[in-house]
Amino acid sequence: MTEAGKLPPRDRPTPLDSATDRPQRWSSSGRRWVAALLLILAAAVATWAVVGPRRPAGGQPGAGGLGKDLPRGDRSILLVTVDTTRADRLEPYGATDIETPVMARLASEGIVFERAYAVAPITLVAHTSILTGLYPPQHGVRNNGTHYVPAELDTLAEKLDRRGYRTAAFVSASVLEKRYGLTQGFEVYDDDLSTGRERHPRMVPDRPAEATVASTRAWLDGVGDDEPFFAWVHFYDPHAAYSPPPPWRDTYRNRPYDGEIAYMDAQIGELLTHPRLRQDDDLAVVVLGDHGESLGEHGEQTHAILAYDATLHVPFVMQVRGGPKGVRVAEPVSQVDLVPTLLDLVGETPPGDLPGRSLLAPRDARAAAPRPLYSETYLPYYTYGWSKLKVLRRGAWKFIDAPEPELYDLGRDPRELTNQHGQRPSLAHDFARDLGDLLDAFGDAERETALELDLEAVAKLRSLGYVSVGSTGAEDRERIDPKDAIDLHVGLERARVLLRDRLHRQAAEQLRGVLRRDPENQAALVDLASALEMGGEVEEALAILERALTAAPDDPSLILQVAGLESRRGQLAQAVELTNLALELEPRLLEARLQKAAFLAQQRRFDEVRGVLDVALESHPDHPRLGALYAQWVDLREGDRDGAEARLRRALERDPFLVLAWRLLGEMEEDRRAPEAAAKAYRSGLERQPDDPLLHRRLGLLLARTGGDTAAEMHLREAIRLSPQLHPELHVALGGWLAEHGRSAEAQREYDRVLEQDPKHPGARNNRAIALYRSGQVEDAMAELAALVQEFPRHADGHNNLAAIAVERGDWRRAERHARRALELDPKQTEGWNNLGVAVEEQGRTAEAERAYRRALDIDDGYWQARFNLGVVMARDGRHQGAAEALEAVVSRVPGFPDGHLELGRLYAGPLGDPQLARSHWNAFLRTAPPQHPEVAEVKAQLAMLPRRAGGAAEP
């Protein structure tokens, strides 16, 4: 039997397993360890209706006098633009297996334009034409993300604003956010994408239709009955990746694109139930597509590379209350016709310089011959350096200006399967001539309004295929015809999916195949460099980028990618110089400043870091990632934890998918000794980005350190899998967790992986020593640790473990010496204070021991081992009530700790005089103590001597 109030020595020392973050305790009582899109295409593409329209019985083909008897005036207008929506997926255009009752009702109560065409199969380009009435060569917006709407253009919203209209826009994707200039004329431009994004974590930020509808309805609540308004509502849902919510998810289980269409139709219906819309007898509702979706036609899965009608034919339905009903217009019309039509509707003469026409004008006001309609796609040029495609259609004929020109008779060949260019040379000549004349009439046919971008935005756009870097190259070189290389585009899209899934080897193989056929493809070169970097092949990645720089030596994004690789090679000074070069080329390039700050931080030049970030904040005060980095490198380093947290939470409000902010919040919670809150932050980040290696690392280390179950092992293994290079701290941490759970052989294998690469790695050697100790090889363990601290004299864990073993062996002086050395090196080491307390207590210096235990608890109030030892010291000193309170706190936290119940039983049976509580704790001791515990027999004897109640008989 041990002396009353004295903890058996085997339970008291706390050796440390090495890990990257904090020392870990392994004492036998309460151990703690750390060691440490797809682009979803329809699974089965259903047979779709022919692009040519089907007219339901009772329809009225022809356009004669649509607005002849329609009163003009300031009526309210609701414009709904539906992104990536094929006309043939809607009931008014012949769909029979997709439920779109709202569109069907609008069609029956209004006008269906059967042959409406987009100016470009690209969102920003099309919407700019929809809202300005101009063709792309006139307004200069030719691509998503890289261009903007010039301020000098007069938009429909500006025209209506001048008439006294309330104006508001509600967009659902970042490709239409404020920075691109469509805000002109809108008193409200709602591009807040933070709501509802959990359902669709697509490649670019967006929000589902119900979130956009909710924002629109809230605005309509404040519009008076006598106030005319123009509201533009944009829905993005049918854009890849297709992921409709229930019940459409189940109804269209094998047709997710169709499910998105049906869901969007229902949300249009929800919007139209708003009283301000439902009760307005003068309301005009327009539903217009920006572009369609190929869904495999001509080899294209999505849109924007080719210029066929699968992506250019769009829905266009207009319901004017009090106007024509059930009318179907067969004449080809364009998106540029919307502005003059709506201006005519409100009683304003459309400007004469608009290329479109009012579709409400009487037939005799129009030319008798079919008018030409223009379309284009420049995305192949901006993304891959391939040829631009320009389209001219007149009547039933369509001409595509490409390296191999195309001519189609849409009346006989609506799917554009047979190129008539060689069979109709005269007609083809006329089309080519007329297209040239039209472009000449536009003035600068190659006009573009380029936007200054940060590379984060470029990366998002590149993930969608909207832009590459340095992809345009010399204007005089022969360019690839997109239709001949659509399989390369599909391969590049596949490679991007593989890169997003971190399958870098497969991505590299795919990209090398592309480059064998298109050696100058900058997109493929840049992506191949990224794949090689992801696999740790830095030198080869640099060689690939040198090829790309040959074609675009002044491209700042390429220069920054090289800078990142130089930093991987440890050439931080060179990396900083490259960021300076990028800034010389583009002074307002945010990504260059962020990279420069990162490279300076790696060199611990934090005063310069702050200067760089302060300059960036002047021009980008609300940029989420910039805010997160400022919190990391400025606020936290200067001790402003509240400021850092506020900045991080503001960043997450703007971008909930910013995993850096989630990780920093988790680390702050760890520093506050709030492991549950930290784990919640890490898990929130992983919900948004499930394959982030740093989040897995932080969560795995945290769970292992706090006694986590198998989740700790799983997160550590996932962090290792996602890291291309060996990270010793992860293997050491995993080894510690495995050893703690009795899997010694597996633990040793983890240490061996580290020691094979670095035979002197202190963490692995420390943990290997603990493994030796646990296997009974105490002398070998001590020799390993002694060699470790001799070679690494500042290794606090090694000193503390020597202290722990010395305590086990009763060598109190040696234990004190190593514990003090460990604390000199790491004063916040709770385990070191605990071991010091045990060592000096055993030498009779109880007051000093108490101070050591209290110091451990000041650092970590939840460190129950020190609290237990404190309770024992207080009991020895006669402070019985305080001792009981300390020990009760221990068993409350660790109810299965037998020695806590043992000491409490002694206190209550003795000086505190409460036999009932003594009985409770001693019974708990007997339930939790192993049978071989030396106090079991004594406790049973003491229980037999306790009275059942005051004045009663003894317990038998």
Side-chain angles (χ1 to χ4, degrees):
M1 174 178 172
T2 59
E3 178 183 348
K6 181 177 179 181
L7 180 66
R10 59 184 177 81
D11 286 333
R12 306 197 50 192
T14 47
L16 304 179
D17 264 351
S18 291
T20 52
D21 297 77
R22 295 175 52 199
Q24 310 309 318
R25 54 189 85 106
W26 63 266
S27 70
S28 62
S29 52
R31 295 168 184 163
R32 298 290 186 270
W33 286 85
V34 154
L37 227 205
L38 178 60
L39 186 63
I40 302 175
L41 302 176
V45 178
T47 301
W48 42 79
V50 176
V51 175
R54 290 178 54 184
R55 300 187 182 99
Q60 302 175 37
L66 288 179
K68 180 179 179 182
D69 299 320
L70 192 63
R72 278 27 176 202
D74 286 340
R75 65 174 72 227
S76 293
I77 299 169
L78 173 67
L79 169 63
V80 178
T81 57
V82 289
D83 210 299
T84 325
T85 301
R86 289 178 64 109
D88 61 14
R89 288 302 204 268
L90 303 173
E91 291 181 41
Y93 292 86
T96 59
D97 58 349
I98 305 175
E99 295 180 358
T100 56
V102 176
M103 289 298 298
R105 186 178 74 248
L106 289 172
S108 68
E109 297 173 355
I111 307 164
V112 176
F113 297 96
E114 295 178 333
R115 298 169 63 194
Y117 298 101
V119 301
I122 311 171
T123 298
L124 180 63
V125 183
H127 278 92
T128 304
S129 290
I130 289 170
L131 292 171
T132 65
L134 300 173
Y135 280 121
Q138 296 174 292
H139 57 61
V141 178
R142 320 304 281 267
N143 192 24
N144 274 354
T146 59
H147 294 161
Y148 70 98
V149 182
E152 62 268 21
L153 295 184
D154 198 19
T155 68
L156 176 62
E158 288 176 297
K159 296 177 193 298
L160 295 176
D161 176 66
R162 289 194 294 269
R163 291 181 65 92
Y165 273 62
R166 299 285 304 278
T167 58
F170 305 88
V171 302
S172 298
S174 64
V175 290
L176 295 177
E177 63 188 9
K178 292 184 180 76
R179 68 191 300 178
Y180 301 119
L182 283 174
T183 57
Q184 298 173 41
F186 288 107
E187 63 179 83
V188 170
Y189 195 94
D190 183 350
D191 62 350
D192 179 5
L193 307 179
S194 61
T195 302
R197 284 180 55 200
E198 309 305 324
R199 186 175 65 81
H200 288 313
R202 290 192 175 103
M203 293 174 283
V204 293
D206 73 302
R207 60 178 168 180
E210 64 256 35
T212 308
V213 167
S215 295
T216 309
R217 290 177 65 96
W219 179 78
L220 287 170
D221 289 341
V223 177
D225 292 341
D226 58 345
E227 293 182 293
F229 67 83
F230 170 53
W232 165 38
V233 182
H234 163 252
F235 294 132
Y236 191 71
D237 302 87
H239 202 287
Y242 319 125
S243 181
W248 299 273
R249 191 176 197 87
D250 299 324
T251 304
Y252 301 91
R253 185 172 184 177
N254 296 318
R255 297 182 292 150
Y257 175 76
D258 295 350
E260 292 278 30
I261 299 288
Y263 160 70
M264 184 175 62
D265 181 85
Q267 290 302 313
I268 295 173
E270 173 64 20
L271 174 59
L272 291 173
T273 63
H274 190 280
R276 186 62 180 81
L277 303 179
R278 190 177 65 248
Q279 299 167 9
D280 190 339
D281 294 335
D282 293 325
L283 179 70
V285 179
V286 177
V287 180
L288 177 59
D290 68 339
H291 58 76
E293 189 82 319
S294 284
L295 299 177
E297 290 193 37
H298 298 275
E300 185 179 37
Q301 295 297 333
T302 54
H303 57 272
I305 293 294
L306 303 180
Y308 298 110
D309 282 358
T311 61
L312 291 177
H313 181 215
V314 294
F316 187 177
V317 176
M318 182 166 64
Q319 178 207 54
V320 182
R321 294 178 186 173
K325 294 185 177 181
V327 174
R328 302 186 69 85
V329 177
E331 176 192 356
V333 301
S334 170
Q335 291 168 333
V336 298
D337 295 326
L338 180 70
V339 168
T341 299
L342 294 181
L343 291 176
D344 182 8
L345 182 63
V346 302
E348 184 168 315
T349 301
D353 59 350
L354 292 181
R357 301 176 181 178
S358 170
L359 302 177
L360 301 177
R363 179 175 292 279
D364 58 8
R366 305 186 194 150
R371 61 185 174 127
L373 301 178
Y374 175 78
S375 301
E376 68 176 37
T377 178
Y378 277 27
L379 185 132
Y381 171 79
Y382 288 115
T383 301
Y384 303 131
W386 297 345
S387 177
K388 303 169 183 176
L389 299 179
K390 300 168 188 175
V391 176
L392 187 68
R393 71 176 76 234
R394 186 188 293 113
W397 287 91
K398 174 184 175 182
F399 173 73
I400 302 177
D401 181 31
E404 181 189 350
E406 299 169 73
L407 183 67
Y408 295 101
D409 180 356
L410 299 177
R412 300 173 64 188
D413 180 20
R415 289 187 180 275
E416 301 162 280
L417 299 176
T418 305
N419 184 1
Q420 295 288 305
H421 188 272
Q423 301 300 317
R424 304 292 296 268
S426 297
L427 184 60
H429 169 81
D430 292 347
F431 264 100
R433 179 200 60 212
D434 294 346
L435 175 60
D437 291 345
L438 180 64
L439 293 173
D440 288 342
F442 289 150
D444 182 7
E446 296 304 318
R447 180 185 184 216
E448 61 177 74
T449 52
L451 182 74
E452 294 170 351
L453 288 177
D454 61 82
L455 290 204
E456 184 177 21
V458 170
K460 290 178 180 177
L461 292 163
R462 286 188 64 244
S463 72
L464 263 181
Y466 287 135
V467 63
S468 184
V469 289
S471 57
T472 53
E475 289 298 326
D476 58 350
R477 73 178 177 88
E478 184 177 347
R479 298 191 177 275
I480 289 177
D481 192 324
K483 63 177 171 290
D484 294 336
I486 191 63
D487 60 320
L488 296 185
H489 168 69
V490 172
L492 285 159
E493 286 187 321
R494 187 179 300 119
R496 292 187 187 109
V497 171
L498 292 169
L499 282 174
R500 285 195 299 272
D501 291 341
R502 301 181 185 277
L503 299 172
H504 54 87
R505 291 188 183 87
Q506 295 91 324
E509 181 180 353
Q510 184 76 45
L511 292 162
R512 292 186 197 280
V514 171
L515 288 167
R516 280 192 287 272
R517 284 181 53 194
D518 185 10
E520 298 181 32
N521 191 305
Q522 293 288 88
L525 289 170
V526 170
D527 285 345
L528 177 56
S530 297
L532 292 169
E533 180 183 7
M534 192 179 294
E537 301 175 64
V538 174
E539 298 298 331
E540 188 176 356
L542 278 169
I544 293 296
L545 287 180
E546 287 177 7
R547 287 175 56 186
L549 282 165
T550 301
D554 294 330
D555 190 296
S557 59
L558 281 175
I559 292 169
L560 289 182
Q561 192 168 359
V562 173
L565 289 171
E566 291 291 357
S567 74
R568 289 280 302 272
R569 298 171 68 205
Q571 303 298 317
L572 293 173
Q574 175 71 5
V576 171
E577 286 305 311
L578 287 167
T579 62
N580 289 334
L581 175 58
L583 286 167
E584 288 177 15
L585 294 166
E586 181 45 74
R588 287 183 287 184
L589 188 59
L590 175 61
E591 183 66 22
R593 298 196 184 279
L594 297 184
Q595 282 201 26
K596 182 176 181 178
F599 302 148
L600 291 170
Q602 287 178 263
Q603 299 173 70
R604 307 194 65 77
R605 296 158 61 182
F606 289 107
D607 289 341
E608 295 174 73
V609 170
R610 177 166 190 160
V612 171
L613 295 182
D614 282 339
V615 171
L617 280 174
E618 291 175 5
S619 54
H620 299 82
D622 298 321
H623 192 278
R625 188 159 65 96
L626 172 57
L629 291 173
Y630 200 94
Q632 179 182 23
W633 291 329
V634 179
D635 293 334
L636 288 173
R637 285 201 74 260
E638 295 180 357
D640 185 4
R641 300 179 62 84
D642 292 340
E645 181 172 0
R647 200 182 298 272
L648 291 170
R649 296 203 181 278
R650 285 197 303 271
L652 286 169
E653 286 176 2
R654 294 188 296 273
D655 185 3
F657 288 81
L658 184 61
V659 294
L660 170 63
W662 289 115
R663 178 167 59 81
L664 291 173
L665 282 176
E667 291 172 1
M668 290 176 65
E669 295 293 356
E670 285 197 70
D671 289 341
R672 293 189 183 112
R673 308 284 180 174
E676 292 181 0
K680 182 178 179 181
Y682 297 143
R683 288 191 174 104
S684 295
L686 286 170
E687 287 172 7
R688 276 82 176 181
Q689 190 165 325
D691 58 352
D692 184 84
L694 290 177
L695 287 173
H696 281 292
R697 172 185 178 273
R698 295 298 310 186
L699 183 55
L701 291 172
L702 172 65
L703 293 175
R705 181 166 60 248
T706 55
D709 55 15
T710 55
E713 178 189 4
M714 293 168 65
H715 285 290
L716 288 171
R717 290 195 184 280
E718 193 65 5
I720 291 169
R721 183 185 73 82
L722 293 169
S723 303
Q725 296 177 322
L726 182 73
H727 288 269
E729 73 280 2
L730 293 176
H731 292 279
V732 169
L734 178 58
W737 189 91
L738 292 167
E740 172 67 13
H741 290 76
R743 295 156 66 180
S744 301
E746 293 176 74
Q748 190 60 53
R749 284 196 292 271
E750 297 301 323
Y751 305 145
D752 289 344
R753 287 190 179 96
V754 177
L755 293 170
E756 284 173 9
Q757 178 174 306
D758 181 5
K760 295 184 177 182
H761 190 279
R765 290 169 63 185
N766 177 81
N767 281 18
R768 185 171 63 182
I770 292 176
L772 291 170
Y773 177 82
R774 285 180 168 169
S775 67
Q777 302 175 66
V778 178
E779 297 300 331
D780 290 341
M782 291 183 65
E784 178 77 68
L785 291 169
L788 174 62
V789 298
Q790 183 174 1
E791 191 168 352
F792 297 94
R794 300 189 62 79
H795 194 269
D797 290 7
H799 284 288
N800 187 72
N801 284 338
L802 284 168
I805 294 175
V807 167
E808 290 281 352
R809 298 171 66 126
D811 190 343
W812 312 120
R813 293 182 182 276
R814 182 187 293 253
E816 179 182 356
R817 183 171 71 253
H818 283 291
R820 290 193 184 281
R821 179 56 178 156
L823 292 168
E824 288 175 13
L825 298 169
D826 182 6
K828 293 186 177 182
Q829 193 181 79
T830 53
E831 297 85 354
W833 287 110
N834 188 62
N835 286 338
L836 177 62
V838 173
V840 298
E841 180 187 349
E842 292 293 345
Q843 295 178 69
R845 290 140 57 192
T846 55
E848 191 175 347
E850 181 173 343
R851 287 195 297 272
Y853 299 142
R854 290 189 183 279
R855 184 67 181 275
L857 292 169
D858 288 341
I859 298 169
D860 183 358
D861 187 64
Y863 185 35
W864 60 267
Q865 292 92 334
R867 192 171 301 281
F868 173 79
N869 289 338
L870 176 63
V872 173
V873 167
M874 294 175 74
R876 282 183 175 178
D877 196 39
R879 288 171 286 163
H880 304 119
Q881 187 59 48
E885 291 172 1
L887 295 169
E888 288 283 6
V890 170
V891 297
S892 176
R893 182 181 179 87
V894 193
F897 180 44
D899 291 315
H901 292 291
L902 173 66
E903 296 300 328
L904 282 166
R906 289 170 173 165
L907 281 169
Y908 288 125
L912 294 179
D914 191 331
Q916 299 304 316
L917 282 177
R919 177 180 293 107
S920 296
H921 282 290
W922 273 341
N923 280 329
F925 166 79
L926 293 175
R927 286 196 305 272
T928 57
Q932 67 272 22
H933 194 290
E935 307 295 334
V936 168
E938 179 63 22
V939 167
K940 288 181 178 179
Q942 294 291 335
L943 269 172
M945 298 172 61
L946 282 177
R948 292 183 180 277
R949 60 185 67 84
E955 182 92 14

